[in-house]
Amino acid sequence: MADLSYISCPNTAYIRYMSIPDVLQERTNEAPEKEICVQRFVGGGRRSLTYAELLNRSTYIAKYLTARGIVPGDCVAIIGLNSIEWIIGEFAIFLTGAVALQVNKTDESFVETMKLLKSTQSKAVLLDPESDEKYISDLEAYFTIEESPKEKPIVMLLHKSALSSLPSMAEVKLTAEEEVIALPRIQPESSAFIFTTSGSTGVPKMVEMTHLSVVNASYIPFAGTGGDMPYGTCYNDRPFSWSGGTPIYSILNGNKRVFVDTAIGMKKENIMLIWDIIMAEKCTNAVFLPYALVDIIANLDAILKHGYIMYSIITGSQNIGSHLTEMCGKCTKKFFMNYGCTEVGDMCVIELTPKMEEGNVGSLFPGYEVKVIGVNCETLHREQLGEILVRSPWMLKSYRNAPELSTASFVDGGWFRTGDIGIITTDGKLFVKGKSNDVIKRGGLKVLTSVVEAAMYKLPCVREVVVISVPDKRLFEEVCACYILKDYVNASEDELDQKCRAILGDNVLGSTPTYFLRFDAFPRLSNGKTNRTRVKTQALGRLELDLIQ
């Protein structure tokens, strides 16, 4: 029925019954000396990896792991920062038939690492402890002291460390018997890797994906290149452990990927360094989170002096305001936003312009269906606000070791609950209004945080904003705007309040926040997204409000 909130984009592509190692072999046969990954460093250093090098080096490590008992279906963790070694290690895991559990080590202790390995029953771990002396000391003690548990996972360091005696990928040697080990043929339906969700609103979940879904996902050409240029070179410094930063897509699609350590890209003072790398590597495309786009706009005059214009920039993961389109036609010819989540990949994409319709997430990728449901799981009529559900062959297999969560995340027919709310218009456009838990019920009036954030982004003094709910004895929930002002700009809370009232109405029948809290910086997750949970905790502490709502 055309009046129901349902849209779809059929998949007409031929399904390739292949695993990730199959595609790697195919790409290597086609272009063995093609430079596929480039790691850049502060100061100008550069390392690269060709298809032939990736296949040869990952095969060597895979044989080492197989010789020590790793078999198809085992869980093998890979923990560390973006590096050439990470890429080799991850593909080595794929070649063994094991499932790669991808983790970005930030400030966790070794005790926390062991909890993760035990909870996931990981049989091995490829690890970069960086230069954390306490972490390395605990690591050494656990794996070298005889009194430690016998059923320990196999351990291999991604990088040789002067502080550790444990084997590293650069040091492992195969015996003559191990060199001729035959690696298993991977079944495409088997699990390939586990993404951990960003955890921006709570505890991260472990999303398990199959080889078949990844190899055939219709969004991979777009995600791999950072736009609609089939053979572009893409800059993307997002963590490899995150779905928005994984190098798998570019490698499968044949696009050169240029990257740095994520911590470099997250510092606003490094945006010109990043732009220098983009120019030096002749990047045609780039993936940036919204905060980096704010940095680009703040330095737009300096960037334009170089005269280098990329073909496209793609962003996503957070609500995008029209203020970010200032770069359109200046430092990039095209500006895209994708919409999706770790569990289903990129569902939609839209090209943004200064005349964008805020909330419109664009066209579905092939193979996706979307519908909007009400509180009783009934499909709503168009223009009615409800929860967004998606169905696709490219979705997650399940949440790892969480059957109850997996069951709760689906409804009849294999529809996945995104947790987002939105509408499908009469002309078939999908608009995302926010997350279902981002609706603040202030005295019975529903306030959408995304609407308030979009309004505040239009204020010329605001750099970033996060709108949260806080407890209220009378209304039960109140609206609080946490904001960062642009450099060298000052604005009082009264001024912000008056400007918001002009756009959103008052804080009784309208959507204007009751509280305004200025931040110098927002806490970030390892992938660069704003840690909204910590923002809320800090705000509650400053307001001296109870955590229980």
Side-chain angles (χ1 to χ4, degrees):
M1 296 176 64
D3 63 337
L4 291 179
S5 291
Y6 169 88
I7 53 175
S8 67
C9 182
N11 180 48
T12 58
Y14 175 75
I15 297 295
R16 297 195 295 170
Y17 192 68
M18 302 173 72
S19 67
I20 293 173
D22 291 337
V23 179
L24 174 60
Q25 183 66 66
E26 183 179 80
R27 288 290 183 185
T28 304
N29 293 342
E30 293 170 350
E33 299 309 313
K34 180 175 181 177
E35 197 175 59
I36 192 63
C37 298
V38 176
Q39 182 176 6
R40 293 296 302 256
F41 302 90
V42 174
R46 183 184 195 273
R47 296 176 63 207
S48 65
L49 192 65
T50 67
Y51 272 121
E53 290 170 337
L54 174 56
L55 180 59
N56 292 336
R57 293 174 67 181
S58 59
T59 297
Y60 195 88
I61 300 302
K63 289 184 175 183
Y64 178 88
L65 294 172
T66 299
R68 280 145 189 82
I70 298 301
V71 298
D74 283 346
C75 186
V76 176
I78 180 165
I79 305 174
L81 305 180
N82 293 0
S83 69
I84 293 292
E85 284 72 20
W86 168 289
I87 298 170
I88 295 167
E90 182 172 51
F91 275 81
I93 297 170
F94 294 152
L95 286 162
T96 68
V99 184
L101 171 65
Q102 304 174 114
V103 183
N104 185 81
K105 178 184 176 291
T106 50
D107 299 319
E108 291 84 0
S109 66
F110 179 70
V111 171
E112 293 302 313
T113 296
M114 287 310 305
K115 287 181 181 178
L116 175 68
L117 297 182
K118 290 176 181 178
S119 67
T120 56
Q121 299 178 321
S122 295
K123 298 295 181 63
V125 57
L126 279 57
L127 178 66
D128 175 14
E130 304 170 61
S131 56
D132 187 330
E133 294 186 12
K134 177 65 167 62
Y135 191 101
I136 294 173
S137 174
D138 293 342
L139 176 73
E140 285 279 310
Y142 180 85
F143 283 104
T144 59
I145 295 175
E146 293 183 2
E147 289 75 14
S148 59
K150 294 181 179 180
E151 294 299 323
K152 295 178 288 188
I154 302 162
V155 63
M156 180 187 298
L157 301 184
L158 291 173
H159 307 275
K160 180 176 173 57
S161 172
L163 301 175
S164 175
S165 61
L166 294 171
S168 69
M169 280 187 10
E171 298 172 308
V172 298
K173 301 294 181 183
L174 299 181
T175 65
E177 292 78 12
E178 292 170 346
E179 286 184 352
V180 296
I181 285 177
L183 295 175
R185 178 64 187 269
I186 312 304
Q187 295 298 311
E189 294 91 348
S190 60
S191 296
F193 54 77
I194 299 169
F195 279 134
T196 50
T197 60
S198 65
S200 59
T201 57
V203 179
K205 300 180 284 287
M206 292 189 288
V207 179
E208 194 164 353
M209 309 291 289
T210 68
H211 287 263
L212 192 66
S213 66
V214 173
V215 167
N216 290 284
S218 59
Y219 59 82
I220 281 186
F222 212 95
T225 189
D228 60 351
M229 176 180 283
Y231 303 106
T233 295
C234 182
Y235 174 85
N236 184 351
D237 60 28
R238 297 301 84 214
F240 288 173
S241 57
W242 182 48
S243 60
T246 177
I248 296 172
Y249 301 148
S250 57
I251 291 170
L252 293 183
N253 201 55
N255 302 111
K256 182 190 291 187
R257 164 75 176 272
V258 179
F259 65 92
V260 297
D261 181 349
T262 300
I264 296 172
M266 287 178 64
K267 296 177 180 178
K268 65 179 182 180
E269 62 268 24
N270 286 337
I271 193 63
M272 294 308 299
L273 167 65
I274 298 303
W275 201 260
D276 287 342
I277 291 173
I278 286 172
M279 292 190 297
E281 295 294 338
K282 297 181 173 59
C283 295
T284 55
N285 308 58
V287 177
F288 288 116
L289 287 191
Y291 71 84
L293 302 180
V294 173
D295 298 338
I296 289 174
I297 291 172
N299 292 273
L300 196 55
D301 289 343
I303 287 173
L304 294 179
K305 287 180 181 178
H306 291 288
Y308 190 84
I309 301 177
M310 281 194 290
Y311 174 77
S312 72
I313 289 176
I314 190 168
T315 190
S317 300
Q318 294 169 276
N319 292 324
I320 308 300
S322 58
H323 66 295
L324 293 179
T325 62
E326 185 180 338
M327 70 182 68
C328 291
K330 297 178 180 177
C331 61
T332 181
K333 294 179 181 178
K334 293 188 175 185
F335 181 29
F336 296 101
M337 178 187 72
N338 60 18
Y339 166 65
C341 59
T342 303
E343 290 88 343
V344 302
D346 291 337
M347 298 162 46
C348 309
V349 68
I350 188 170
E351 184 174 352
L352 303 179
T353 69
K355 296 181 180 180
M356 62 179 281
E357 298 177 281
E358 292 187 6
N360 183 1
V361 293
S363 303
L364 294 176
F365 282 108
Y368 282 91
E369 301 171 85
V370 170
K371 68 176 180 177
V372 177
I373 65 169
V375 293
N376 296 316
C377 292
E378 77 283 11
T379 304
L380 298 174
H381 289 282
R382 294 196 174 189
E383 301 289 349
Q384 289 184 301
L385 185 70
E387 183 182 358
I388 299 171
L389 270 60
V390 61
R391 184 166 63 183
S392 167
W394 329 132
M395 295 194 306
L396 75 163
K397 177 181 179 181
S398 65
Y399 289 111
R400 184 77 164 188
N401 298 334
E404 293 182 359
L405 177 60
S406 296
T407 299
S409 298
F410 288 87
V411 301
D412 289 346
W415 290 92
F416 178 77
R417 312 187 75 142
T418 66
D420 290 341
I421 57 173
I423 61 170
I424 293 176
T425 61
T426 53
D427 56 352
K429 294 179 181 178
L430 175 63
F431 281 76
V432 177
K433 299 296 185 179
K435 292 193 172 293
S436 56
N437 57 0
D438 286 344
V439 177
I440 302 174
K441 298 178 182 178
R442 178 164 62 184
L445 181 70
K446 293 183 178 179
V447 176
L448 295 176
T449 60
S450 59
V451 171
V452 181
E453 288 174 358
M456 290 194 65
Y457 270 124
K458 292 178 180 178
L459 304 181
C461 58
V462 174
R463 175 186 173 90
E464 291 185 67
V465 61
V466 171
V467 175
I468 60 171
S469 67
V470 295
D472 184 83
K473 290 182 178 179
R474 178 171 174 268
L475 301 175
F476 294 96
E477 285 187 295
E478 258 296 0
V479 182
C480 175
C482 304
Y483 63 93
I484 300 172
L485 293 178
K486 292 181 180 178
D487 294 340
Y488 312 114
V489 174
N490 199 11
S492 68
E493 292 181 7
D494 287 341
E495 289 176 307
L496 291 176
D497 180 72
Q498 291 303 315
K499 290 177 179 178
C500 283
R501 287 171 184 265
I503 304 172
L504 299 167
D506 61 22
N507 65 340
V508 180
L509 298 177
S511 298
T512 290
T514 295
Y515 300 101
F516 292 87
L517 289 179
R518 180 174 177 177
F519 282 65
D520 293 326
F522 288 145
R524 304 280 185 191
L525 295 163
S526 60
N527 59 22
K529 292 171 66 174
T530 301
N531 189 330
R532 300 177 76 95
T533 301
R534 285 189 59 194
V535 170
K536 183 168 183 173
T537 300
Q538 292 178 14
L540 289 169
R542 289 171 59 180
L543 293 171
E544 298 183 350
L545 298 171
D546 294 332
L547 286 171
I548 300 175
Q549 298 190 39

